[in-house]
Amino acid sequence: MGGSVPTLLQSDAASCIAVAERMIALGTHAGSVHILDFLGNQVKEFIAHTAAVNDLCFDIEGEYIGSCSDDGSVVISSLFTDERMKFEYHRPMKTIALDPDYVRKSSRRFVTGGLAGHLYYNVKKWIGYRDQVLHSGEGPIHSVKWRTSLIAWANDSGVKVYDAANDQRVTFIERPRGSPRPELLLPHLVWQDDALLVIGWGTSVKIVSIRNNQNKGANGTYKHIPMSSMNQVDIVASFQTSYFISGIAPFGDSLVVLAYIPVEEDGEKDFSSTIPSRQGNAQRPEVRVVTWNNDELATDALPIHGFEHYKAKDYSLAHAPFSGSSYAGGQWAAGDEPLYYIVSPKDVVITKPRNFFGFAYISWVVPVYIWLKFHPGTFRRMKLVSFSGKYISGRVLTRQSSKEDAAFWNYLHLLECYACGFLDTEDHISWLLQHGWHEKALAAVEAGQGRSELIDEIISRILAHDVIDATVSYVFSLIQVGSRYLDHLIVERKYAEAASLCPKLLRGSAAAWERWVFHFAHLRQLPVLVPYIPTENPRLRDTAYEVALVALATNTSFHKDLLTIVKTWPPVIYSSLPVISAIEPQLNTSSSTDALKEALAELYVIDGQYEKAFGLYADLKKPDIFDFIDKHNLHDSIREKVAQLMMIDCKHAIPLFIQHRDLISPSDVVSQLIAAKNKCDYRYLLHQYLHSLFESNPHAGRDFHDMQVELYADYDPKMLLPFLRSSQHYTLEKAQEICVKRDLLREQVFILGRMGNAKQALAVIINKLGDIEEAIEFVSMQHDDELWEELIKQCLNKPEMVGVLLEHTVGNLDPLYIVNMVPNGLEIPRLRDRLVKIITDYRTETSLRHGCNDILKADCVNLLIKYYKEARRAIYLSNEEDESRTKRDNKNRQSQLTERSMSIRNMEVKPKIRSVPIFLEIFVNVSLELNSPSALLLQKLDSENVCPMCDDEGVLVQVISNFQAFIF
């Protein structure tokens, strides 16, 4: 089976099949149920189970499908609605059967069973679904089939039949002796009609008749007896086979059996394991047509892939529905053709009865055979025709030596078995062509293709013995009949049908293909043929492919087909330049379409014209254009396609433009986006681009910062204030106007502050924002006493703001000044707590200042003591060199001290303060050398009342204390 089946079975394996009148259901080992049409095309798919699907069953109308699985669940799904029911049994379920009238009855009955050994009878009641155990205790339930009111099932003991209408057991058929275990070779049940049950188990076949008792009435009619009186059960046929039965189905008054041939040397060992054979020694399965007496009518081997590794249980057989319904038994209406479906893990094979030509060989082959045998010296003209359309036009038939005679008659005997009706076939094809029935003539020619190889081999062997001096020619070949059929369709103007038949009729003939390509082109119908033109086996001349592409390009209705063909055809089979030349003039006309542009872009790529292809891809807004730019290094070509690239994907386009600012400047990007304002939301794209450009380089887009202020205000107000603080390239007045229009208050405060309108900014904070803390922070940053006065004035009429102002004045204003300005009688919320906080903060600040002073005093004392001790330390001179070095160091040090002392003497001091003595000069120098934080303060030290000749350490401390007292 073709269609979707090969694809489905590439990654999965088939496990079971069910056939209804309108569709096929295929279960797989992965738990899926695929609904197919009779060509194998998938119509629907159910992910019904999580383990292998073991059995499938349709209702009589083919509207519901039931499935069971090793996952312990039973799922019943509607094929035409969303209805789906799932029943959990928590043990692997092996078989299911729906009530044939499932869709018609509200009871919605079904039976199912599995490894648990229970046969469940499920019925829908008014309070829900209810399970009844019909049978248990005799091993797993392996198969169940439901016909009218009769339910037949097989377990380890045998087959039982139950009448659901009367709730009673009907019969029991014992399991055949010596049959393999059911879990290794499943029993197979099938109802041939309402009264005949066919059982295939192991190597045994039994046909059971279950009939109602009927009494004949007085008027000659039969009186129906109720089902409760049904008690006549007969085994009408029973026989043994030489093979194992993997499936069984009715075929009229005969049976179709799927035969599994066991390996002779292994015997029963073939069923000792459920694992497929690793040795690959299984034989090919066969389909056999047998009578009820086991007389074989036909046998065929099946073309199953991988049959060497399959076991008997890996196969299953189902038959197509008959006229009326899938439960019409083994009878077909006139014109119906029985079909049988054989399923293996990786194949679904369809089989049907052969059509033989009847008795033609009796009237021709046998008389010629006998006449030649008894008249060896007579000359006779003879014609033999094979299914391939060949014939042997022999001039003479002669008898040679006895050895050659024996070979000739042996091969002729083989030929008579296969050549039946061939002369009639040739005449039949000729008659069909003469009457204009070309399709039937083609079918007759195709019917002979399957046997042509064998006939040709037999004829070639006859010719090899020189028995017939003959030449081989063609009477009705497939191409000849096909050409006449195509001509007929062309005359009837059925161009699409003629094109669809070309692959089958022309096959591998390049000359025939080219002839029909140009013929369709002459008729201006070539576009319908293009999808069928082969690209290899055979490969045509490049001219044929170019003509086909141009034909698609010049017809607007086929531009999408042109694009598909350009993408799928190998570029090596044609030249793209003629096609490009035919398409380019259409770009600026009304016949231009997006499909045509994309096809032209693909052709440009094939021809290496990447810049032109990029332009078309940009106009078409292809999402993968950025990969195309990087792949072919087309950064120089992006200059003219800014708007298109931004509209395709601004997240990819913006980094590209920023990275290549040397190729495309910000002004080019902005101007092209503004020019495309009617095609896109250009302002949003401008915002995205300028924002990314500013983050990359704040000065790169300075010419557009005024525009960017407005864009931030519209698309991202939260980012406007950071932008205003970072940029110096926008106009303050324009920015203020924008912020006022959009009521952006904090941005207004910042701009007013930068413009110098601090009082106006303060008014916005207090009157519109109402945030006194922000107002205090703003005034503190301005360092303007008048602004403090303005803040106090604007807060005096707002008690809550006065309270907050009092809390934040420590370090900035004198709280008493604010308290004195507060009008009498003004009630300030939580005034007492706030005054306590002011006092506490003031004490804390005072304490911190005193602590800092103490640290500074201690630092000064430690530095002076350290220097004093260093100055009193002796210096050792060892020799003249050391002495000269010491003198040189002392001289350098003395010069440095002198310079520093001179600089200190030149410092401006208060008029009442005298110059600093040498001792303090030394102290300052040492402090500077030691990087003491007191150095800057000591430079301002007053030297009054200091004794320069003090050698006593206690006196020195007293001097320093005096200095510190003066400082602090």
Side-chain angles (χ1 to χ4, degrees):
M1 178 178 285
S4 306
V5 173
T7 304
L8 296 175
L9 298 184
Q10 281 182 355
S11 57
D12 203 348
S15 58
C16 56
I17 192 172
V19 186
E21 278 193 64
R22 292 173 285 180
M23 62 200 72
I24 301 169
L26 183 67
T28 69
H29 284 276
S32 299
V33 177
H34 303 282
I35 306 301
L36 314 172
D37 61 18
F38 284 99
L39 298 178
N41 300 310
Q42 181 171 300
V43 177
K44 202 168 187 179
E45 179 183 7
F46 299 104
I47 309 299
H49 303 281
T50 58
V53 180
N54 293 320
D55 195 12
L56 296 167
C57 181
F58 284 101
D59 69 319
I60 192 171
E61 299 296 337
E63 295 189 13
Y64 286 85
I65 180 68
S67 60
C68 62
S69 169
D70 282 340
D71 63 4
S73 67
V74 169
V75 177
I76 300 176
S77 304
S78 173
L79 300 178
F80 305 104
T81 67
D82 295 333
E83 182 182 357
R84 184 178 178 185
M85 292 161 291
K86 188 171 184 179
F87 304 88
E88 295 288 349
Y89 293 95
H90 309 292
R91 290 292 300 276
M93 306 305 288
K94 296 296 184 181
T95 184
I96 183 175
L98 299 183
D99 182 356
D101 293 326
Y102 185 89
V103 70
R104 300 173 184 171
K105 295 183 179 179
S106 60
S107 58
R108 298 296 175 92
R109 300 178 297 174
F110 69 89
V111 288
T112 183
L115 294 185
H118 302 298
L119 180 67
Y120 295 101
Y121 178 70
N122 188 288
V123 182
K124 183 180 180 181
K125 304 291 186 179
W126 67 275
I127 58 173
Y129 290 89
R130 176 176 172 269
D131 278 323
Q132 175 186 350
V133 178
L134 289 183
H135 183 78
S136 64
E138 293 183 352
I141 307 299
H142 303 291
S143 179
V144 62
K145 298 295 178 183
W146 193 331
R147 180 65 173 246
T148 61
S149 64
L150 299 179
I151 302 173
W153 71 91
N155 55 25
D156 287 351
S157 298
V159 177
K160 294 179 173 61
V161 181
Y162 170 80
D163 181 8
N166 297 283
D167 191 21
Q168 67 177 9
R169 188 77 54 83
V170 175
T171 187
F172 167 71
I173 298 94
E174 187 177 2
R175 169 185 169 185
R177 295 181 180 180
S179 61
R181 299 192 306 274
E183 61 269 19
L184 300 181
L185 183 60
L186 296 175
H188 299 277
L189 306 178
V190 60
W191 288 98
Q192 179 158 330
D193 55 32
D194 292 347
L196 289 178
L197 175 65
V198 181
I199 304 171
W201 198 326
T203 60
S204 172
V205 175
K206 292 182 180 179
I207 302 175
V208 181
S209 174
I210 305 172
R211 293 179 295 173
N212 296 335
N213 283 327
Q214 294 179 336
N215 291 339
K216 198 169 184 180
N219 57 356
T221 61
Y222 283 90
K223 182 180 179 181
H224 181 69
I225 301 298
M227 288 291 292
S228 58
S229 302
M230 181 194 304
N231 55 10
Q232 186 169 351
V233 178
D234 299 317
I235 298 179
V236 296
S238 176
F239 58 86
Q240 294 291 125
T241 65
S242 59
Y243 46 82
F244 291 107
I245 300 171
S246 292
I248 194 167
F251 177 49
D253 293 332
S254 305
L255 297 174
V256 174
V257 182
L258 178 58
Y260 180 85
I261 314 300
V263 180
E264 296 180 359
E265 59 270 20
D266 291 342
E268 181 68 20
K269 294 180 183 179
D270 190 54
F271 297 92
S272 62
S273 174
T274 60
I275 303 175
S277 174
R278 294 183 180 272
Q279 299 177 356
N281 56 1
Q283 296 190 36
R284 189 182 296 274
E286 297 178 354
V287 172
R288 302 193 179 191
V289 181
V290 298
T291 65
W292 287 9
N293 296 323
N294 199 23
D295 296 328
E296 290 192 5
L297 303 179
T299 301
D300 271 306
L302 293 174
I304 301 292
H305 297 289
F307 66 89
E308 302 91 346
H309 306 285
Y310 294 151
K311 297 295 184 180
K313 65 177 296 183
D314 293 328
Y315 300 101
S316 59
L317 169 66
H319 58 286
F322 311 132
S323 178
S325 73
S326 58
Y327 294 86
Q331 305 300 323
W332 290 273
D336 283 352
E337 183 178 42
L339 295 178
Y340 297 86
Y341 296 82
I342 294 94
V343 175
S344 69
K346 291 295 181 180
D347 285 297
V348 178
V349 179
I350 306 174
T351 62
K352 61 182 179 180
R354 288 193 186 94
N355 292 322
F356 297 100
F357 285 98
F359 306 96
Y361 86 100
I362 297 177
S363 61
W364 175 72
V365 176
V366 173
V368 171
Y369 174 86
I370 298 174
W371 189 87
L372 287 174
K373 192 167 186 177
F374 289 98
H375 299 80
T378 306
F379 297 93
R380 181 81 173 175
R381 180 173 296 276
M382 174 183 178
K383 181 165 69 173
L384 302 176
V385 182
S386 71
F387 273 146
S388 63
K390 296 178 181 179
Y391 73 88
I392 303 172
S393 55
R395 289 190 294 271
V396 291
L397 287 174
T398 60
R399 289 286 299 271
Q400 303 290 339
S401 62
S402 59
K403 182 178 180 180
E404 293 172 342
D405 177 63
F408 170 75
W409 295 118
N410 287 336
Y411 287 123
L412 188 59
H413 177 68
L414 291 174
L415 183 60
E416 71 176 347
C417 298
Y418 292 96
C420 57
F422 290 170
L423 284 177
D424 289 345
T425 301
E426 179 187 339
D427 295 336
H428 179 59
I429 294 173
S430 178
W431 183 83
L432 291 174
L433 291 174
Q434 291 174 4
H435 288 77
W437 292 349
H438 301 85
E439 187 173 1
K440 292 184 178 181
L442 181 63
V445 173
E446 289 180 336
Q449 294 296 313
R451 304 178 189 177
S452 61
E453 295 181 2
L454 182 57
I455 300 300
D456 294 343
E457 180 182 358
I458 296 174
I459 294 175
S460 64
R461 292 185 181 181
I462 295 176
L463 297 177
H465 285 80
D466 296 328
V467 178
I468 302 176
D469 181 14
T471 59
V472 177
S473 62
Y474 286 89
V475 177
F476 293 113
S477 69
L478 183 63
I479 294 180
Q480 288 175 330
V481 176
S483 296
R484 295 182 63 173
Y485 187 26
L486 291 178
D487 289 332
H488 167 72
L489 293 175
I490 294 297
V491 171
E492 297 292 328
R493 296 187 178 182
K494 298 179 179 180
Y495 303 111
E497 184 179 354
S500 65
L501 289 174
C502 284
K504 180 169 65 174
L505 302 180
L506 306 182
R507 297 191 177 183
S509 174
W513 270 107
E514 291 176 1
R515 183 172 67 86
W516 280 103
V517 165
F518 291 112
H519 186 50
F520 271 81
H522 176 71
L523 297 172
R524 297 186 179 181
Q525 298 296 328
L526 185 55
V528 300
L529 179 64
V530 172
Y532 305 101
I533 297 177
T535 56
E536 58 180 5
N537 298 325
R539 175 175 170 179
L540 313 184
R541 291 178 296 173
D542 54 356
T543 307
Y545 298 112
E546 293 163 9
V547 169
L549 293 174
V550 171
L552 294 176
T554 54
N555 193 324
T556 308
S557 303
F558 294 95
H559 285 174
K560 291 184 179 180
D561 296 330
L562 171 65
L563 176 59
T564 302
I565 293 299
V566 169
K567 288 183 176 180
T568 55
W569 276 5
V572 297
I573 66 175
Y574 63 92
S575 174
S576 58
L577 288 177
V579 188
I580 293 173
S581 300
I583 296 177
E584 285 179 337
Q586 302 182 54
L587 289 183
N588 298 323
T589 65
S590 59
S591 62
S592 177
T593 62
D594 289 345
L596 182 66
K597 292 179 180 179
E598 188 174 354
L600 180 58
E602 295 287 341
L603 292 169
Y604 279 145
V605 172
I606 293 172
D607 197 49
Q609 302 182 47
Y610 302 116
E611 294 81 2
K612 292 183 178 181
F614 163 74
L616 291 173
Y617 283 143
D619 293 338
L620 294 170
K621 299 180 178 60
K622 301 296 289 183
D624 55 351
I625 190 172
F626 298 98
D627 296 332
F628 185 78
I629 293 171
D630 294 335
K631 180 179 179 181
H632 299 290
N633 193 21
L634 299 175
H635 302 101
D636 293 338
S637 303
I638 65 177
R639 182 187 300 273
E640 304 300 329
K641 299 295 180 181
V642 171
Q644 291 88 336
L645 295 177
M646 290 289 284
M647 287 187 284
I648 293 171
D649 190 348
C650 63
K651 293 182 180 179
H652 283 84
I654 290 172
L656 184 66
F657 297 148
I658 294 175
Q659 183 181 356
H660 296 89
R661 288 202 305 273
D662 54 334
L663 299 175
I664 178 168
S665 63
S667 60
D668 292 335
V669 176
V670 173
S671 62
Q672 290 192 44
L673 288 176
I674 294 175
K677 60 183 178 181
N678 295 328
K679 300 179 180 178
C680 61
D681 187 0
Y682 77 100
R683 298 185 74 252
Y684 175 75
L685 297 178
L686 279 173
H687 165 66
Q688 293 289 337
Y689 170 72
L690 292 175
H691 172 68
S692 300
L693 182 64
F694 181 78
E695 289 185 338
S696 174
N697 186 347
H699 306 289
R702 59 181 175 269
D703 296 337
F704 307 102
H705 281 196
D706 285 333
M707 180 190 298
Q708 202 165 354
V709 170
E710 186 174 1
L711 294 174
Y712 273 124
D714 290 339
Y715 294 102
D716 197 356
K718 294 181 179 179
M719 293 299 298
L720 178 56
L721 186 57
F723 174 76
L724 295 173
R725 289 173 176 169
S726 302
S727 174
Q728 303 292 331
H729 304 292
Y730 59 89
T731 305
L732 294 175
E733 291 77 9
K734 291 182 180 179
Q736 173 65 10
E737 183 181 356
I738 293 171
C739 293
V740 170
K741 287 182 179 179
R742 289 161 177 78
D743 199 25
L744 301 174
L745 300 177
R746 285 183 170 81
E747 289 76 6
Q748 293 181 43
V749 171
F750 176 80
I751 295 173
L752 289 171
R754 177 171 284 187
M755 294 171 67
N757 297 333
K759 291 184 179 181
Q760 187 178 351
L762 182 61
V764 173
I765 297 175
I766 295 175
N767 298 327
K768 295 184 178 180
L769 289 175
D771 192 343
I772 185 61
E773 294 183 2
E774 185 174 346
I776 294 171
E777 181 182 359
F778 176 77
V779 173
S780 301
M781 293 174 61
Q782 300 299 320
H783 303 290
D784 188 351
D785 293 339
E786 294 183 2
L787 202 58
W788 280 109
E789 295 287 345
E790 182 68 23
L791 175 62
I792 294 170
K793 288 180 182 180
Q794 295 193 23
C795 292
L796 288 178
N797 297 326
K798 300 178 177 64
E800 181 63 32
M801 288 189 177
V802 173
V804 177
L805 186 61
L806 287 172
E807 291 181 0
H808 294 79
T809 55
V810 177
N812 296 314
L813 287 176
D814 186 359
L816 292 177
Y817 176 74
I818 301 175
V819 172
N820 291 332
M821 293 185 66
V822 174
N824 293 330
L826 182 66
E827 294 184 2
I828 301 174
R830 298 184 291 110
L831 178 60
R832 179 178 177 275
D833 296 337
R834 285 168 171 164
L835 291 175
V836 170
K837 183 177 183 301
I838 292 172
I839 296 171
T840 303
D841 293 343
Y842 184 78
R843 288 177 179 175
T844 302
E845 184 178 358
T846 304
S847 175
L848 289 173
R849 289 184 178 181
H850 285 300
C852 293
N853 288 337
D854 293 341
I855 294 172
L856 181 59
K857 291 176 183 179
D859 190 15
C860 292
V861 170
N862 292 333
L863 287 173
L864 288 172
I865 292 174
K866 183 176 181 180
Y867 181 75
Y868 175 76
K869 291 181 179 179
E870 291 291 336
R872 295 183 63 183
R873 183 176 298 174
I875 298 175
Y876 173 75
L877 299 176
S878 61
N879 51 35
E880 294 180 356
E881 183 179 352
D882 294 338
E883 183 178 357
S884 62
R885 185 184 302 112
T886 302
K887 289 180 180 181
R888 186 169 60 253
D889 293 341
N890 290 336
K891 184 178 180 180
N892 293 334
R893 183 177 300 175
Q894 186 62 32
S895 63
Q896 293 176 0
L897 292 174
T898 303
E899 291 175 358
R900 291 183 180 179
S901 63
M902 290 299 293
S903 64
I904 294 175
R905 288 192 185 96
N906 293 331
M907 292 176 60
E908 294 183 1
V909 296
K910 295 180 181 180
K912 295 182 180 180
I913 301 178
R914 293 173 297 176
S915 301
V916 180
I918 187 64
F919 178 80
L920 289 180
E921 292 179 11
I922 298 172
F923 177 75
V924 171
N925 292 333
V926 172
S927 300
L928 290 172
E929 291 178 1
L930 297 177
N931 296 322
S932 171
S934 303
L936 298 176
L937 295 175
L938 291 174
Q939 289 180 1
K940 301 179 181 179
L941 199 61
D942 194 316
S943 60
E944 189 175 3
N945 298 327
V946 177
C947 178
M949 301 301 296
C950 183
D951 293 332
D952 185 55
E953 184 175 334
V955 176
L956 178 62
V957 172
Q958 183 63 38
V959 171
I960 295 173
S961 299
N962 292 334
F963 292 159
Q964 293 171 340
F966 178 78
I967 294 171
F968 300 108

